[in-house]
Amino acid sequence: MAPQKPLPYDDKFTSPDEYVSELLNFVASTDVFQILCGGVHILDFFTIEPGLFHAALPREWHPFLLSCDIMRLIDILAREDLDNFRNDGEHQMPESLLIYIKSIRRLSLNREYAPPDRTVAKPTRSVSIGMKPKKIHEVANFADYVDRLSYEVASHDGSNVTHFVDFGSGQNYLGRALASEPYNRHVVAVEGRENNVSAAKGFDMSSGLSVAPQVRRNKKAWDKIRKAAGPGGLKDPERLAQAIKDVVGEEGLLKDAEAKPVDFRARNDLDATYTAEDGKGFMTYISGRLESGDLSGVISDIEQGDLPEEKKRELRLMAVSIHSCGNLSHFAIRSLVMNPDMRAVAIVGCCYNLLTEKLGAPTYKHPFLRPTLQAINGRVTRESEKNDPEGFPMSKRFSEHNGDGVRLNITARMMACQALQNWTAKESEGFFTRHFFRAVAQKMFLDRGVVQKIRHRTPEPGVAETPFDLSTSPVIVGSLRNSCYDSLKSYVRGAVDKIINNQEVPEYAELMREKMGSITDEEIEEYEKIYLPRKKELSVIWTLMAFSAIVVESLIVTDRWTFLKEQQEVDQAWVEPVFDFKLSPRNLVVVGIKK
């Protein structure tokens, strides 16, 4: 089942080691890549002069990039056949830019998914309740993949996998599919959010995987509950729960005229019955937040139902996950070497921005890397997130490369979550506009004293200060209502109002009120007049950041594969695409099989 190449690298490389070596050397030695992947941030686009576009990119690139239509640029970067590229037009592409584009493409792992040459079982209608087409595609293909992989493991060491352990199971779409026909597997769903577990159990009842208890209802009491919940309250779990509590008490239970219990708890809160039968699937839910790959607490809670002792088996586990966030992917991969009962892992990661940093703040060997800064109005970052042994990079090779290790700040990791190949003209214009509004707002904040410039590194003696030595204090604005993106005035008004009304950081709310509360429409219009002609610069930089970050994702995934290859207990490890990139861009699975 293992692919011919353990990593889906370009065919021009003759071995995994050649690919990894060139990848690491490119990342460590290419200034433009380092600037675009961690050296610039949209917040500071207009806070320095003459602007990040001019500071970040070689001067000879400017005429071509500013004259090229943005969708045409995206095609050149991500879609066009560069071997037959026609370098025509008023401003021709510089050879150095073409070389950079080809380098990013060559070092990016191949994402093309080859569907199995047979029909993959799709989840039944009852099992797929709550799934959108993207999730159905992911669950159908990954359930088939890990089921086949489990038989590969069995043929490898002679014993079947007894349980799949789903890291960050969410509402258990994958686990429900694996526990149902045609797979009928035993699944352990590990999830940190209790509301997800509750929703998952509700879906289990709907799918027939578990049996809901028979409960009695009381129409008169239910009418009172509906009235107490108010308009739309029955669809709001919190309002419904409060209404039930107000009408019938804490437990949601009362006695009817015959002194029999009447239950008004939400269906998801009922105690469903899971029955283990030989040859049938079975679910075990374990609620709790994992802090490492040590599953000793989880393994001790695994149930095998009411099967006779002779039917119960020695545990042989496989860790699986579709899009486990941040360090949870690291925990799942490490579980292979930290738990004797774990035989294999198959992990598709996502949310790289939620990874922590193992190596801490950048040193002088990373002259362009912008440190992860504390937002003025955000929660205080724990020091453990900056030097976290569970963070990136996992492997020894990546941690020690060039004597200082590979480092990726949160901006680079967040950009690795993009999917440039899937961008449409409408979507692109939407987020270019949002980023433009945010960048201009930051310039206003700086000019009016809401934020200050921050010097995060002091140049070596005799070396001139650069724009990459400075930034401004981050301010969290977050999402705003859609109407706020109709114009710069609407955006600034919405952002200022949101921060002023946020009482979690009252001192900052008051500062925003003092400095920005009196800004006039005319002043905002003046900023727009100055910076709107430079919106194209921002659009180009953002596009190049997203393009370059394809290599960042390749770095993260290759680091995970390298970690597995470094472990004596691991026999096989590989990476391959398991989803259609157009439907699910985070489509690379990291697989490891123990000796």
Side-chain angles (χ1 to χ4, degrees), residues 226-298:
R226 184 167 52 189
K227 185 176 180 180
L234 299 184
K235 295 182 179 180
D236 185 327
E238 292 184 4
R239 286 169 60 188
L240 177 58
Q242 185 61 48
I244 292 172
K245 185 187 298 184
D246 293 343
V247 174
V248 299
E250 284 285 338
E251 299 299 325
L253 299 167
L254 56 73
K255 301 286 185 177
D256 66 7
E258 300 175 5
K260 295 180 180 179
V262 182
D263 199 330
F264 289 98
R265 287 176 297 168
R267 190 167 190 251
N268 292 358
D269 295 332
L270 299 175
D271 296 323
T273 301
Y274 292 84
T275 303
E277 300 178 32
D278 198 15
K280 294 291 185 179
F282 186 75
M283 283 301 314
T284 299
Y285 287 94
I286 298 179
S287 298
R289 181 183 175 88
L290 293 174
E291 298 292 343
S292 74
D294 181 3
L295 297 184
S296 54
V298 171

Side-chain angles (χ1 to χ4, degrees), residues 377-501:
N377 59 333
R379 68 179 181 87
V380 177
T381 303
R382 294 182 302 156
E383 285 302 311
S384 61
E385 293 178 359
K386 298 176 183 176
N387 291 90
D388 185 353
E390 301 288 349
F392 174 87
M394 294 183 71
S395 67
K396 181 179 179 181
R397 181 173 184 176
F398 279 52
S399 298
E400 298 178 355
H401 179 69
N402 205 25
D404 203 46
V406 178
R407 298 165 191 249
L408 297 172
N409 66 8
I410 190 170
T411 306
R413 289 182 274 113
M414 186 174 293
M415 292 305 298
C417 299
Q418 295 290 327
L420 182 69
Q421 297 94 314
N422 292 348
W423 287 7
T424 65
K426 183 178 180 181
E427 291 169 340
S428 301
E429 180 56 31
F431 48 69
F432 291 152
T433 297
R434 292 179 180 223
H435 294 316
F436 171 73
F437 289 165
R438 182 63 187 89
V440 176
Q442 187 76 0
K443 175 60 173 170
M444 293 182 192
F445 295 163
L446 177 64
D447 291 348
R448 297 176 73 91
V450 176
V451 301
Q452 305 295 325
K453 283 197 173 183
I454 297 175
R455 176 173 282 100
H456 44 72
R457 71 169 60 84
T458 301
E460 295 289 309
V463 178
E465 188 171 72
T466 74
F468 309 107
D469 299 322
L470 299 169
S471 54
T472 54
S473 313
V475 179
I476 296 174
V477 173
S479 59
L480 302 172
R481 60 186 182 276
N482 289 339
S483 61
C484 290
Y485 299 100
D486 292 341
S487 68
L488 180 60
K489 283 189 292 186
S490 298
Y491 180 86
V492 172
R493 298 293 183 206
V496 170
D497 287 347
K498 181 178 179 180
I499 295 172
I500 286 176
N501 292 315

Side-chain angles (χ1 to χ4, degrees), residues 160-309:
N160 292 329
V161 170
T162 62
H163 294 73
F164 291 110
V165 180
D166 189 355
F167 279 68
S169 57
Q171 297 186 4
N172 196 36
Y173 297 123
L174 174 63
R176 190 171 304 109
L178 286 168
S180 303
E181 294 285 351
Y183 304 112
N184 293 307
R185 306 304 292 261
H186 286 206
V187 180
V188 181
V190 184
E191 171 57 38
R193 297 182 178 178
E194 195 64 48
N195 61 320
N196 278 340
V197 174
S198 177
K201 290 181 177 180
F203 285 136
D204 288 348
M205 288 184 268
S206 299
S207 70
L209 192 59
S210 64
V211 178
Q214 295 295 317
V215 297
R216 296 167 62 86
R217 302 295 192 190
N218 180 300
K219 189 173 185 304
K220 289 183 179 180
W222 181 249
D223 287 341
K224 292 180 181 178
I225 290 169
R226 184 167 52 189
K227 185 176 180 180
L234 299 184
K235 295 182 179 180
D236 185 327
E238 292 184 4
R239 286 169 60 188
L240 177 58
Q242 185 61 48
I244 292 172
K245 185 187 298 184
D246 293 343
V247 174
V248 299
E250 284 285 338
E251 299 299 325
L253 299 167
L254 56 73
K255 301 286 185 177
D256 66 7
E258 300 175 5
K260 295 180 180 179
V262 182
D263 199 330
F264 289 98
R265 287 176 297 168
R267 190 167 190 251
N268 292 358
D269 295 332
L270 299 175
D271 296 323
T273 301
Y274 292 84
T275 303
E277 300 178 32
D278 198 15
K280 294 291 185 179
F282 186 75
M283 283 301 314
T284 299
Y285 287 94
I286 298 179
S287 298
R289 181 183 175 88
L290 293 174
E291 298 292 343
S292 74
D294 181 3
L295 297 184
S296 54
V298 171
I299 291 171
S300 64
D301 289 340
I302 290 179
E303 301 175 15
Q304 299 199 51
D306 298 324
L307 293 174
E309 286 300 319

Side-chain angles (χ1 to χ4, degrees), residues 327-340:
N327 283 9
L328 194 57
S329 293
H330 287 187
F331 300 159
I333 291 169
R334 290 183 193 277
S335 73
L336 183 61
V337 295
M338 296 182 71
N339 304 277

Side-chain angles (χ1 to χ4, degrees), residues 301-590:
D301 289 340
I302 290 179
E303 301 175 15
Q304 299 199 51
D306 298 324
L307 293 174
E309 286 300 319
E310 65 272 12
K311 293 287 186 180
K312 294 184 179 180
R313 298 166 288 175
E314 178 184 349
L315 294 179
R316 300 179 63 78
L317 312 177
M318 180 190 295
V320 299
S321 182
I322 297 177
H323 298 156
S324 47
C325 289
N327 283 9
L328 194 57
S329 293
H330 287 187
F331 300 159
I333 291 169
R334 290 183 193 277
S335 73
L336 183 61
V337 295
M338 296 182 71
N339 304 277
D341 296 320
M342 191 66 71
R343 305 306 305 165
V345 296
I347 306 299
V348 183
C350 76
C351 302
Y352 306 124
N353 53 301
L354 298 180
L355 287 170
T356 57
E357 300 168 24
K358 177 180 176 181
L359 301 178
T363 67
Y364 71 94
K365 291 188 177 182
H366 305 268
F368 302 109
L369 190 61
R370 186 179 188 268
T372 299
L373 301 175
Q374 172 67 45
I376 294 175
N377 59 333
R379 68 179 181 87
V380 177
T381 303
R382 294 182 302 156
E383 285 302 311
S384 61
E385 293 178 359
K386 298 176 183 176
N387 291 90
D388 185 353
E390 301 288 349
F392 174 87
M394 294 183 71
S395 67
K396 181 179 179 181
R397 181 173 184 176
F398 279 52
S399 298
E400 298 178 355
H401 179 69
N402 205 25
D404 203 46
V406 178
R407 298 165 191 249
L408 297 172
N409 66 8
I410 190 170
T411 306
R413 289 182 274 113
M414 186 174 293
M415 292 305 298
C417 299
Q418 295 290 327
L420 182 69
Q421 297 94 314
N422 292 348
W423 287 7
T424 65
K426 183 178 180 181
E427 291 169 340
S428 301
E429 180 56 31
F431 48 69
F432 291 152
T433 297
R434 292 179 180 223
H435 294 316
F436 171 73
F437 289 165
R438 182 63 187 89
V440 176
Q442 187 76 0
K443 175 60 173 170
M444 293 182 192
F445 295 163
L446 177 64
D447 291 348
R448 297 176 73 91
V450 176
V451 301
Q452 305 295 325
K453 283 197 173 183
I454 297 175
R455 176 173 282 100
H456 44 72
R457 71 169 60 84
T458 301
E460 295 289 309
V463 178
E465 188 171 72
T466 74
F468 309 107
D469 299 322
L470 299 169
S471 54
T472 54
S473 313
V475 179
I476 296 174
V477 173
S479 59
L480 302 172
R481 60 186 182 276
N482 289 339
S483 61
C484 290
Y485 299 100
D486 292 341
S487 68
L488 180 60
K489 283 189 292 186
S490 298
Y491 180 86
V492 172
R493 298 293 183 206
V496 170
D497 287 347
K498 181 178 179 180
I499 295 172
I500 286 176
N501 292 315
N502 180 7
Q503 293 307 308
E504 292 183 11
V505 192
E507 66 277 12
Y508 190 72
E510 187 55 39
L511 175 66
M512 182 65 76
R513 186 192 312 277
E514 175 191 342
K515 301 294 186 180
M516 290 292 296
S518 62
I519 193 168
T520 65
D521 286 351
E522 290 73 22
E523 289 174 301
I524 297 174
E525 288 169 357
E526 186 62 27
Y527 275 93
E528 187 167 30
K529 181 180 178 181
I530 294 171
Y531 293 105
L532 185 58
R534 296 173 59 184
K535 181 182 175 185
K536 177 66 175 291
E537 297 177 7
L538 184 146
S539 302
V540 168
I541 285 286
W542 183 259
T543 300
L544 287 172
M545 288 169 68
F547 172 65
S548 302
I550 300 172
V551 166
V552 174
E553 182 170 24
S554 298
L555 266 174
I556 293 170
V557 173
T558 301
D559 170 58
R560 294 171 178 179
W561 173 82
T562 303
F563 169 83
L564 287 172
K565 293 296 292 182
E566 291 173 348
Q567 310 308 309
Q568 291 185 346
E569 302 93 329
V570 175
D571 183 45
Q572 297 181 64
W574 69 82
V575 173
E576 63 179 321
V578 287
F579 308 133
D580 183 337
F581 187 88
K582 291 181 179 179
L583 287 173
S584 183
R586 308 282 75 77
N587 70 341
L588 294 174
V589 64
V590 179

